[in-house]
Amino acid sequence: MKKRLSILFSLMLVLSLFLSACGGFKKGDESTGEKGKSGSKTANVPQELHINIKTEPFSLNPGLANDSVSGNVLYQTFEGLTRIKDGKPQLAMAESYQVSKDLKTYTFKLRDAKWSNGDPVTAKDFEYAWKWALDPKNQSQYAYQLYYIKNGQAFNEGKAKAEDVGVKAIDDKTLQVTLENPTPYFLQLTAFYTYFPVNSKIAAKNPKWYTNAGPDYTSNGPFKMVTWDHNNKIVLEKNENYWDAKSVKLTKIEMVMVNDTNTELSMFNNGELDWAGMPTGQLPPDSLSQLKAEGKLHVQPIAGVYWYKFNTEKPPLNNVNIRKALAYAINRKAIVENIAKGEQIPAMAAVPPTMFPENKKGYFKDNDVEKAKEYLKKGLQELGLKDVKDLPPITLSYNTDDLHAKIAQAIQDMWKKNLGIEVKLDNSEWAVYIDKLHSGDYQIGRMGWLGDFNDPINFLELFRDKKGGNNDTNWENPKYKQLLIDSQKETDPEKRKEMLKQAEAILMDEMPVAPIYFYTNTWVQKDNLKGVEMSGLGDVQFKWAYFE
Amino acid sequence: MLRYISKRLFYMLMSLFLIVTATFFLMRAAPGGPFSSEKQVPPEIEKNLNEYYGLDRPWYIQYFDYLVSVAKWDFGPSFKYKGQTVNDLIDEGFPVSFFLGMESLLIAVSIGILLGVIAALKHNKWQDYAAMVFAVIGISVPNFIMASILQYFLAIKLGWFPVARWESLQHTVLPALALAATPMAFIARLTRSSMLEVLSNDYIRTAKAKGLSQGQITVKHAIRNAILPVVTYLGPLSAQILTGSFVIEKIFGIPGLGGHFVTSITNRDYTVIMGVTVFYSILLLLSVLLVDIAYGFIDPRIKLAGGKKGE
């Protein structure tokens, strides 16, 4: 037997020799991963961060990006006129700005900043980037993020010329922006990646500058991209040309693309990652309770809501009392504690508490079965039905996902027990599902919504127009609509907030949606990692991060 | 031989044409499109995008254009990964999948045959039972569970290998083992039973009578004949390993082509779906052809002439 075993081992040896001879790996900085860590015995802690970003970003051109993966890379490599810190916009590429009285014209003075290749960052780079994204000839999916700019939408729809768009480089250091409406959250928007500048000199020379790392991929943020191994990893290094380079302590960020929650956590436990979970990755839902019990779990509320949409044109959901009965009869606390388990906040309002702190309480009581029964009775009467048994079964739709399925089953059970309503479940794959919802082919459907910038309008304007793209509920209310339209023109922030609150109250009274919970970010991280900036929107910035 | 191959190639082209056509129409029939997302794009932007990617043209023009571009081996731009073409994705992803596939194939075949031979030679002894228990485990444990088991024991507990990723040769061992486990077990069983059959033949007894050693008999006479079923299995196996690695690629974060095979469908990334399907189809058809040709070399009784094997 010994002889056989030695045959086996020699076979394996030959095999491994053969395989190593085959090669097949991309040369690059292969050695860095392990070496960087073993060198930690020196007095200085290596300032290298290893995180997971799950998948390949759709695009690292700020004008083309339309997903959070790309966003979380771009926030490290690029910088807009402003940057969000502690939830508020801070001056970044802009050194100062002036606003006209009607709040429609912003004049930004740019600071002396350089691109990663040493070119100066000019006002023209902003003008170029914004107009490029708005140009209908380019395939920007997020061009509508720039519709706040005067004639932005018209240009994108081919109804105006590029010259008409309200962004202009007066000189190298002065950028003038004219808006359609006074937009009180405009300085929030300028921190969003669609508003980032692009090195116009390079883009003019090489239209494909953004597809790979290399000399043409220049950026103006705290980090520059040195490696982009597609579908595998992205390596960022400190950008010495960054204007605020002295604040940047990390020398390197390695972003790997592992799209498996269990593997991600294992890698963290094995010391291969310094951070696992949101916002760049994800923890396995089943691990949350254990991690929490061990005191390792970090939780932060973010501006997002998980809700059920009612198709208000399909009976019996065209009846407001039935909708209210369904919404009131949900035990949100039980769902959060037993199913979602990420310390989400039960939602009895539409706008997350990160924007309206008073919404932690909400507009009604969670699990208010008594009230729900009253509304049901009223609703049935209005529909001309004697008993809940005469109500045909309602279909509840959701897209394929363990969590959505569990929540749907729980709510199906609650509605049956509390109200006696029969509910059928209908599961479909994501693209099929989204098509169903957008075309109104559903009765009740789940959806999540995350804010793009820190303003309640994000959540409220969804329901402004019946055919507004993302409404899906087919609900429209003239008073609600008017309040939102008026709020756009209101220059007094207090008055504006009052209007938005009124609008939300209407929404919660008419109930085209039943909020379930407000999202949180959950993650684990190395204890000696400090200074990571997480916004209430769930973005992450490593500009100020460091290892202690 | 030449006639046989050219005939087979012709059938391959026909199959490919049918695959391309079926994929094209099935894909378009599926609800949802590449630009539908949670945050729906305004209709004007969707119009711009459709125009940009030529999705606004009638289906027969798109279909015809597609056939032409496939013939030119140009699968067009990806809808989701901006600035990357499908050819880029294949060029980058395939070598990785191929390397992983070959590594697992080597492990599966070499260790599988070795185990099978040992089991047959030590028929009904403990070595036989051990090898077959091993095989049953290999066959019954799905590869994604095998992957987690390997990660847990070999990476986290023992620290021999990294948990995941695709950086060095060390990183490839666990995914290759996870992928190889099932076919390895299958090959072991296949080899064992055909070895047992061969060993009971008269010519083996003759060889023994001639005074040849056990080793010589096994290597010279038995294995060569016993291996035929394994070769038959190699065609579908290589196909299965190359296309079926997407779960393993996902778990280990490997930048292979398998991932695109699945995510492109979720993304409704039309050009990627088409490109990867066509590419894999060619691969499968080729691997089956290669196995058929290999038959002729291993077993001279099988002639390839006339288009029918086994004449």
Side-chain angles (χ1 to χ4, degrees):
Chain A
M1 192 55 207
K2 265 182 191 160
K3 207 175 160 190
R4 297 262 148 67
L5 263 179
S6 68
I7 293 175
L8 187 113
F9 282 121
S10 44
L11 212 126
M12 282 176 85
L13 190 77
V14 172
L15 187 83
S16 59
L17 275 176
F18 167 77
L19 287 171
S20 54
C22 280
F25 294 98
K26 283 179 190 150
K27 289 277 171 285
D29 47 350
E30 281 168 18
S31 55
T32 44
E34 259 73 33
K35 267 188 196 160
K37 285 185 186 171
S38 56
S40 64
K41 275 182 191 147
T42 50
N44 287 332
V45 185
Q47 299 294 329
E48 293 184 3
L49 177 69
H50 298 82
I51 59 164
N52 180 27
I53 56 169
K54 290 203 286 196
T55 60
E56 166 89 352
F58 285 158
S59 175
L60 292 184
N61 178 344
L64 287 178
N66 60 46
D67 60 312
S68 57
V69 178
S70 309
N72 279 325
V73 181
L74 291 170
Y75 283 127
Q76 323 313 325
T77 51
F78 277 83
E79 185 165 276
L81 293 165
T82 52
R83 177 180 277 279
I84 307 287
K85 193 175 185 205
D86 304 325
K88 296 211 171 59
Q90 253 189 3
L91 289 174
M93 275 295 116
E95 194 175 50
S96 64
Y97 68 95
Q98 282 181 321
V99 200
S100 67
K101 256 211 181 119
D102 62 356
L103 296 185
K104 280 189 182 179
T105 308
Y106 283 73
T107 312
F108 294 95
K109 270 271 176 248
L110 301 191
R111 67 173 80 242
D112 286 321
K114 281 181 186 161
W115 289 97
S116 50
N117 68 346
D119 291 348
V121 177
T122 65
K124 199 170 158 257
D125 294 333
F126 281 91
E127 186 188 339
Y128 172 85
W130 297 5
K131 285 185 177 170
W132 187 90
L134 281 169
D135 193 333
K137 283 206 303 289
N138 301 319
Q139 68 281 31
S140 173
Q141 220 155 308
Y142 256 21
Y144 65 88
Q145 302 281 2
L146 298 162
Y147 281 5
Y148 303 94
I149 299 163
K150 194 171 176 61
N151 282 325
Q153 182 164 10
F155 175 48
N156 191 238
E157 289 173 9
K159 291 174 195 150
K161 281 184 278 194
E163 302 88 87
D164 307 333
V165 178
V167 53
K168 212 167 139 198
I170 308 281
D171 57 53
D172 271 3
K173 292 277 164 238
T174 316
L175 185 77
Q176 196 180 62
V177 185
T178 320
L179 304 176
E180 287 281 356
N181 288 304
T183 311
Y185 45 92
F186 184 64
L187 292 177
Q188 298 265 356
L189 289 172
T190 48
F192 189 70
Y193 53 81
T194 316
Y195 284 81
F196 286 169
V198 156
N199 189 334
S200 55
K201 257 205 232 159
I202 287 194
K205 258 195 310 196
N206 175 11
K208 291 266 180 205
W209 63 273
Y210 54 87
T211 50
N212 282 301
D216 281 350
Y217 194 94
T218 58
S219 61
N220 66 332
F223 299 94
K224 60 183 179 193
M225 184 167 73
V226 291
T227 309
W228 185 3
D229 189 358
H230 292 286
N231 277 300
N232 194 14
K233 67 170 178 187
I234 286 174
V235 181
L236 308 181
E237 273 174 15
K238 182 177 172 173
N239 178 7
E240 294 301 338
N241 279 327
Y242 180 54
W243 66 271
D244 194 17
K246 63 174 196 315
S247 306
V248 182
K249 299 205 181 67
L250 290 181
T251 53
K252 187 174 151 183
I253 304 175
E254 190 185 51
M255 303 171 146
V256 302
M257 303 169 198
V258 176
N259 198 7
D260 186 275
T261 53
N262 288 308
T263 308
E264 182 176 337
L265 185 58
S266 299
M267 286 175 77
F268 175 79
N269 288 333
N270 211 26
E272 292 170 47
L273 290 175
D274 301 315
W275 184 289
M278 290 184 228
T280 58
Q282 178 120 34
L283 292 172
D286 299 334
S287 71
L288 294 181
S289 318
Q290 165 114 35
L291 289 171
K292 200 177 141 195
E294 290 169 12
K296 288 183 187 161
L297 192 72
H298 294 251
V299 181
Q300 180 186 307
I302 56 165
V305 61
Y306 186 105
W307 51 28
Y308 275 3
K309 289 187 170 181
F310 297 122
N311 188 344
T312 58
E313 281 184 344
K314 289 255 166 93
L317 303 166
N318 52 356
N319 183 291
V320 58
N321 289 313
I322 299 283
R323 296 201 294 266
K324 275 181 140 167
L326 292 171
Y328 281 43
I330 298 171
N331 186 346
R332 294 163 177 80
K333 200 164 162 264
I335 291 174
V336 167
E337 282 173 3
N338 303 316
I339 305 174
K341 291 183 184 168
E343 293 187 34
Q344 292 86 346
I345 303 156
M348 282 77 74
V351 177
T354 50
M355 292 170 183
F356 283 162
E358 60 275 24
N359 275 359
K360 266 190 189 136
K361 254 190 96 209
Y363 289 79
F364 54 93
K365 218 172 89 201
D366 182 26
N367 194 23
D368 194 348
V369 180
E370 287 316 304
K371 267 249 173 81
K373 280 180 176 157
E374 277 171 36
Y375 280 120
L376 177 71
K377 212 172 142 196
K378 229 161 128 192
L380 289 172
Q381 258 172 14
E382 283 164 4
L383 290 169
L385 300 172
K386 273 204 203 94
D387 192 79
V388 70
K389 289 196 185 75
D390 301 331
L391 200 69
I394 296 174
T395 307
L396 171 57
S397 308
Y398 56 94
N399 58 295
T400 311
D401 184 279
D402 214 27
L403 179 70
H404 303 331
K406 281 184 192 159
I407 291 176
Q409 285 154 10
I411 289 181
Q412 176 189 39
D413 196 49
M414 289 169 193
W415 285 342
K416 172 78 192 159
K417 264 199 200 128
N418 296 340
L419 304 175
I421 294 177
E422 287 293 335
V423 178
K424 283 193 293 186
L425 299 183
D426 162 44
N427 171 39
S428 34
E429 181 254 353
W430 172 248
V432 177
Y433 178 73
I434 201 83
D435 215 40
K436 250 189 207 177
L437 242 65
H438 288 336
S439 62
D441 178 24
Y442 77 103
Q443 278 186 298
I444 304 175
R446 73 142 290 266
M447 192 54 90
W449 193 259
L450 292 167
D452 281 328
F453 48 91
N454 193 23
D455 195 277
I457 194 79
N458 255 301
F459 292 83
L460 298 174
E461 73 181 352
L462 284 173
F463 305 102
R464 199 182 89 175
D465 304 299
K466 187 173 166 179
K467 292 287 165 228
N470 290 309
N471 184 336
D472 298 332
T473 64
N474 295 319
W475 174 81
E476 200 174 71
N477 178 305
K479 207 173 152 207
Y480 181 84
K481 192 170 174 168
Q482 198 52 49
L483 276 167
L484 292 191
I485 292 172
D486 292 345
S487 82
Q488 273 191 317
K489 301 196 171 92
E490 181 54 59
T491 51
D492 180 353
E494 275 312 306
K495 274 190 192 155
R496 180 171 172 270
K497 188 181 168 185
E498 199 40 53
M499 287 169 156
L500 296 178
K501 287 248 52 150
Q502 277 179 29
E504 191 189 23
I506 295 174
L507 191 73
M508 285 298 102
D509 190 46
E510 292 262 316
M511 210 65 94
V513 282
I516 313 279
Y517 60 73
F518 296 117
Y519 284 116
T520 50
N521 270 354
T522 45
W523 74 94
V524 288
Q525 66 170 82
K526 283 265 172 70
D527 289 334
N528 63 340
L529 175 61
K530 311 276 165 175
V532 176
E533 175 76 19
M534 299 253 286
S535 83
L537 301 170
D539 312 312
V540 67
Q541 294 178 68
F542 296 113
K543 175 178 167 180
W544 299 281
Y546 63 97
F547 284 98
E548 218 169 41
Chain B
M1 183 78 168
L2 258 178
R3 227 183 93 202
Y4 170 77
I5 292 177
S6 53
K7 203 163 171 181
R8 284 290 298 263
L9 284 176
F10 173 74
Y11 285 133
M12 271 174 63
L13 278 180
M14 293 303 295
S15 331
L16 257 185
F17 173 74
L18 288 177
I19 289 167
V20 169
T21 309
T23 322
F24 183 89
F25 289 104
L26 280 174
M27 203 173 61
R28 297 300 155 104
F35 311 120
S36 63
S37 75
E38 202 150 354
K39 299 195 174 166
Q40 208 180 13
V41 283
E44 301 77 24
I45 294 185
E46 193 159 355
K47 205 182 114 234
N48 288 343
L49 290 168
N50 283 336
E51 223 168 283
Y52 184 88
Y53 289 104
L55 289 175
D56 56 342
R57 283 176 288 172
W59 66 267
Y60 50 87
I61 295 188
Q62 288 186 47
Y63 173 62
F64 183 74
D65 284 352
Y66 193 72
L67 286 183
V68 172
S69 57
V70 166
K72 286 197 243 162
W73 199 254
D74 169 19
F75 297 112
S78 161
F79 287 67
K80 284 283 180 184
Y81 303 111
K82 311 273 181 185
Q84 292 193 55
T85 67
V86 182
N87 291 64
D88 289 342
L89 296 181
I90 294 176
D91 292 348
E92 279 161 13
F94 182 64
V96 174
S97 292
F98 185 75
F99 185 86
L100 179 63
M102 283 301 126
E103 188 176 342
S104 4
L105 211 60
L106 262 170
I107 294 175
V109 171
S110 52
I111 300 182
I113 292 178
L114 194 78
L115 282 179
V117 169
I118 292 174
L121 292 177
K122 304 279 173 185
H123 188 42
N124 283 339
K125 295 206 179 98
W126 71 267
Q127 292 95 331
D128 183 18
Y129 298 133
M132 284 309 107
V133 166
F134 200 65
V136 168
I137 293 173
I139 288 175
S140 48
V141 177
N143 60 12
F144 59 93
I145 294 187
M146 185 62 84
S148 310
I149 294 173
L150 291 173
Q151 277 180 335
Y152 184 73
F153 286 106
L154 298 187
I156 296 181
K157 286 285 151 195
L158 295 170
W160 291 355
F161 300 101
V163 174
R165 308 258 305 104
W166 192 254
E167 293 282 289
S168 67
L169 190 69
Q170 226 187 357
H171 287 82
T172 68
V173 177
L174 293 189
L177 280 178
L179 200 56
T182 303
M184 178 169 77
F186 196 79
I187 289 173
R189 294 187 56 127
L190 217 58
T191 314
R192 176 179 175 270
S193 58
S194 80
M195 267 297 271
L196 284 176
E197 202 188 309
V198 169
L199 286 177
S200 65
N201 278 343
D202 289 343
Y203 67 89
I204 298 288
R205 250 175 267 151
T206 315
K208 256 187 199 157
K210 257 168 48 186
L212 288 179
S213 74
Q214 179 71 46
Q216 280 173 312
I217 296 172
T218 312
V219 174
K220 275 198 179 151
H221 300 282
I223 291 185
R224 188 179 157 130
N225 288 311
I227 215 158
L228 209 57
V230 176
V231 175
T232 317
Y233 176 57
L234 274 184
L237 173 65
S238 32
Q240 184 200 328
I241 279 192
L242 283 173
T243 52
S245 59
F246 63 82
V247 182
I248 296 297
E249 286 183 10
K250 182 172 179 280
I251 293 176
F252 287 97
I254 294 169
L257 196 51
H260 292 304
F261 206 38
V262 181
T263 47
S264 64
I265 297 171
T266 326
N267 286 343
R268 297 288 189 276
D269 198 339
Y270 292 148
T271 44
V272 180
I273 301 177
M274 298 290 302
V276 177
T277 309
V278 171
F279 184 78
Y280 270 136
S281 312
I282 294 175
L283 222 60
L284 302 197
L285 294 168
L286 273 179
S287 67
V288 173
L289 176 68
L290 282 179
V291 166
D292 284 353
I293 294 171
Y295 273 158
F297 289 105
I298 294 179
D299 190 345
R301 285 173 301 177
I302 297 169
K303 292 269 184 308
L304 294 179
K308 275 195 183 132
K309 53 189 183 217
E311 272 178 350

Short mmCIF file of all heavy atoms in Angstrom, two decimals, chain A residues 326-354:
data_model
loop_
_atom_site.label_atom_id
_atom_site.label_comp_id
_atom_site.label_asym_id
_atom_site.label_seq_id
_atom_site.Cartn_x
_atom_site.Cartn_y
_atom_site.Cartn_z
N LEU A 326 -55.31 46.21 5.11
CA LEU A 326 -54.15 45.34 4.85
C LEU A 326 -52.88 45.92 5.47
O LEU A 326 -52.10 45.21 6.10
CB LEU A 326 -53.96 45.17 3.34
CG LEU A 326 -55.05 44.37 2.62
CD1 LEU A 326 -54.88 44.46 1.11
CD2 LEU A 326 -55.03 42.91 3.06
N ALA A 327 -52.70 47.22 5.32
CA ALA A 327 -51.48 47.85 5.83
C ALA A 327 -51.42 47.80 7.35
O ALA A 327 -50.35 47.57 7.93
CB ALA A 327 -51.40 49.29 5.34
N TYR A 328 -52.57 48.04 8.01
CA TYR A 328 -52.58 48.10 9.47
C TYR A 328 -52.40 46.71 10.09
O TYR A 328 -51.96 46.58 11.22
CB TYR A 328 -53.89 48.73 9.98
CG TYR A 328 -53.92 50.23 9.87
CD1 TYR A 328 -53.45 50.89 8.74
CD2 TYR A 328 -54.45 51.02 10.90
CE1 TYR A 328 -53.49 52.26 8.63
CE2 TYR A 328 -54.50 52.41 10.79
CZ TYR A 328 -54.02 53.03 9.65
OH TYR A 328 -54.06 54.39 9.54
N ALA A 329 -52.79 45.68 9.34
CA ALA A 329 -52.79 44.33 9.93
C ALA A 329 -51.44 43.62 9.80
O ALA A 329 -51.35 42.43 9.99
CB ALA A 329 -53.89 43.49 9.29
N ILE A 330 -50.40 44.38 9.44
CA ILE A 330 -49.08 43.75 9.33
C ILE A 330 -48.31 43.96 10.63
O ILE A 330 -48.24 45.09 11.13
CB ILE A 330 -48.28 44.36 8.15
CG1 ILE A 330 -49.01 44.09 6.84
CG2 ILE A 330 -46.87 43.79 8.11
CD1 ILE A 330 -48.42 44.83 5.65
N ASN A 331 -47.73 42.90 11.15
CA ASN A 331 -46.90 43.02 12.34
C ASN A 331 -45.44 43.20 11.90
O ASN A 331 -44.71 42.25 11.70
CB ASN A 331 -47.06 41.77 13.21
CG ASN A 331 -46.32 41.89 14.53
OD1 ASN A 331 -45.49 42.79 14.70
ND2 ASN A 331 -46.63 41.00 15.44
N ARG A 332 -45.07 44.47 11.76
CA ARG A 332 -43.74 44.77 11.22
C ARG A 332 -42.62 44.38 12.17
O ARG A 332 -41.55 43.96 11.75
CB ARG A 332 -43.67 46.26 10.89
CG ARG A 332 -44.61 46.64 9.77
CD ARG A 332 -44.85 48.14 9.71
NE ARG A 332 -45.71 48.46 8.58
CZ ARG A 332 -47.03 48.31 8.60
NH1 ARG A 332 -47.64 47.84 9.67
NH2 ARG A 332 -47.76 48.61 7.53
N LYS A 333 -42.90 44.58 13.45
CA LYS A 333 -41.87 44.27 14.44
C LYS A 333 -41.48 42.79 14.35
O LYS A 333 -40.30 42.44 14.37
CB LYS A 333 -42.41 44.59 15.83
CG LYS A 333 -41.34 44.77 16.87
CD LYS A 333 -41.90 45.45 18.11
CE LYS A 333 -40.96 45.24 19.29
NZ LYS A 333 -41.35 44.11 20.14
N ALA A 334 -42.50 41.95 14.20
CA ALA A 334 -42.25 40.51 14.12
C ALA A 334 -41.43 40.19 12.87
O ALA A 334 -40.53 39.35 12.90
CB ALA A 334 -43.56 39.76 14.11
N ILE A 335 -41.74 40.87 11.77
CA ILE A 335 -41.01 40.60 10.52
C ILE A 335 -39.54 40.99 10.67
O ILE A 335 -38.63 40.24 10.32
CB ILE A 335 -41.66 41.37 9.35
CG1 ILE A 335 -43.02 40.75 9.06
CG2 ILE A 335 -40.77 41.36 8.13
CD1 ILE A 335 -43.82 41.49 8.02
N VAL A 336 -39.32 42.17 11.23
CA VAL A 336 -37.95 42.65 11.38
C VAL A 336 -37.16 41.73 12.32
O VAL A 336 -36.02 41.36 12.05
CB VAL A 336 -37.96 44.10 11.91
CG1 VAL A 336 -36.58 44.50 12.38
CG2 VAL A 336 -38.46 45.04 10.83
N GLU A 337 -37.81 41.35 13.45
CA GLU A 337 -37.06 40.58 14.45
C GLU A 337 -36.86 39.12 14.06
O GLU A 337 -35.85 38.53 14.39
CB GLU A 337 -37.78 40.66 15.80
CG GLU A 337 -37.50 42.00 16.47
CD GLU A 337 -38.32 42.20 17.72
OE1 GLU A 337 -39.07 41.28 18.10
OE2 GLU A 337 -38.20 43.30 18.29
N ASN A 338 -37.83 38.57 13.34
CA ASN A 338 -37.75 37.12 13.08
C ASN A 338 -37.30 36.77 11.67
O ASN A 338 -36.84 35.67 11.43
CB ASN A 338 -39.09 36.46 13.35
CG ASN A 338 -39.55 36.71 14.76
OD1 ASN A 338 -38.76 36.61 15.70
ND2 ASN A 338 -40.81 37.07 14.92
N ILE A 339 -37.47 37.69 10.73
CA ILE A 339 -37.13 37.33 9.35
C ILE A 339 -35.95 38.15 8.84
O ILE A 339 -34.92 37.60 8.45
CB ILE A 339 -38.35 37.50 8.41
CG1 ILE A 339 -39.53 36.69 8.97
CG2 ILE A 339 -38.00 37.04 7.00
CD1 ILE A 339 -40.80 36.90 8.22
N ALA A 340 -36.09 39.47 8.84
CA ALA A 340 -35.03 40.30 8.25
C ALA A 340 -33.79 40.32 9.16
O ALA A 340 -32.67 40.27 8.67
CB ALA A 340 -35.55 41.71 8.01
N LYS A 341 -33.99 40.44 10.44
CA LYS A 341 -32.94 40.27 11.47
C LYS A 341 -31.77 41.24 11.39
O LYS A 341 -30.75 41.01 12.02
CB LYS A 341 -32.39 38.84 11.43
CG LYS A 341 -33.39 37.82 11.91
CD LYS A 341 -32.75 36.46 11.90
CE LYS A 341 -33.74 35.37 12.29
NZ LYS A 341 -33.21 34.05 12.02
N GLY A 342 -31.88 42.29 10.60
CA GLY A 342 -30.76 43.23 10.49
C GLY A 342 -31.03 44.52 11.24
O GLY A 342 -30.51 45.56 10.87
N GLU A 343 -31.84 44.47 12.31
CA GLU A 343 -32.22 45.65 13.09
C GLU A 343 -32.85 46.74 12.24
O GLU A 343 -32.65 47.93 12.47
CB GLU A 343 -31.01 46.18 13.86
CG GLU A 343 -30.59 45.21 14.93
CD GLU A 343 -29.51 45.76 15.83
OE1 GLU A 343 -29.51 46.97 16.08
OE2 GLU A 343 -28.67 44.97 16.26
N GLN A 344 -33.60 46.33 11.21
CA GLN A 344 -34.34 47.30 10.43
C GLN A 344 -35.40 47.97 11.31
O GLN A 344 -35.76 47.44 12.36
CB GLN A 344 -35.04 46.60 9.25
CG GLN A 344 -34.09 46.07 8.18
CD GLN A 344 -33.55 44.69 8.46
OE1 GLN A 344 -33.66 44.16 9.57
NE2 GLN A 344 -32.94 44.08 7.45
N ILE A 345 -35.86 49.12 10.86
CA ILE A 345 -36.83 49.88 11.65
C ILE A 345 -38.22 49.68 11.05
O ILE A 345 -38.42 49.94 9.87
CB ILE A 345 -36.48 51.38 11.63
CG1 ILE A 345 -35.05 51.56 12.15
CG2 ILE A 345 -37.47 52.19 12.44
CD1 ILE A 345 -34.40 52.82 11.65
N PRO A 346 -39.20 49.21 11.84
CA PRO A 346 -40.55 49.05 11.30
C PRO A 346 -41.04 50.37 10.71
O PRO A 346 -40.85 51.42 11.32
CB PRO A 346 -41.38 48.66 12.53
CG PRO A 346 -40.41 48.03 13.46
CD PRO A 346 -39.11 48.75 13.23
N ALA A 347 -41.62 50.33 9.51
CA ALA A 347 -41.96 51.56 8.81
C ALA A 347 -43.46 51.80 8.83
O ALA A 347 -44.22 51.01 8.29
CB ALA A 347 -41.45 51.51 7.37
N MET A 348 -43.85 52.91 9.44
CA MET A 348 -45.23 53.34 9.40
C MET A 348 -45.31 54.71 8.73
O MET A 348 -46.15 55.54 9.04
CB MET A 348 -45.83 53.38 10.81
CG MET A 348 -46.23 52.02 11.36
SD MET A 348 -44.81 51.06 11.93
CE MET A 348 -44.43 51.89 13.44
N ALA A 349 -44.36 54.95 7.84
CA ALA A 349 -44.28 56.19 7.08
C ALA A 349 -43.52 55.89 5.80
O ALA A 349 -42.94 54.82 5.66
CB ALA A 349 -43.57 57.26 7.89
N ALA A 350 -43.50 56.86 4.87
CA ALA A 350 -42.84 56.61 3.59
C ALA A 350 -41.40 57.10 3.55
O ALA A 350 -40.54 56.48 2.93
CB ALA A 350 -43.63 57.26 2.46
N VAL A 351 -41.14 58.21 4.22
CA VAL A 351 -39.80 58.80 4.16
C VAL A 351 -38.98 58.28 5.35
O VAL A 351 -39.44 58.32 6.48
CB VAL A 351 -39.90 60.35 4.22
CG1 VAL A 351 -38.51 60.97 4.23
CG2 VAL A 351 -40.70 60.86 3.03
N PRO A 352 -37.78 57.76 5.08
CA PRO A 352 -36.97 57.17 6.14
C PRO A 352 -36.59 58.17 7.23
O PRO A 352 -36.45 59.37 6.95
CB PRO A 352 -35.71 56.71 5.42
CG PRO A 352 -36.09 56.62 4.00
CD PRO A 352 -37.15 57.62 3.76
N PRO A 353 -36.43 57.70 8.46
CA PRO A 353 -36.06 58.56 9.58
C PRO A 353 -34.72 59.26 9.41
O PRO A 353 -34.44 60.23 10.09
CB PRO A 353 -36.00 57.61 10.78
CG PRO A 353 -36.63 56.36 10.35
CD PRO A 353 -36.61 56.30 8.87
N THR A 354 -33.88 58.78 8.48
CA THR A 354 -32.62 59.49 8.23
C THR A 354 -32.90 60.86 7.64
O THR A 354 -32.07 61.75 7.70
CB THR A 354 -31.73 58.71 7.25
OG1 THR A 354 -32.51 58.37 6.12
CG2 THR A 354 -31.18 57.45 7.87
#
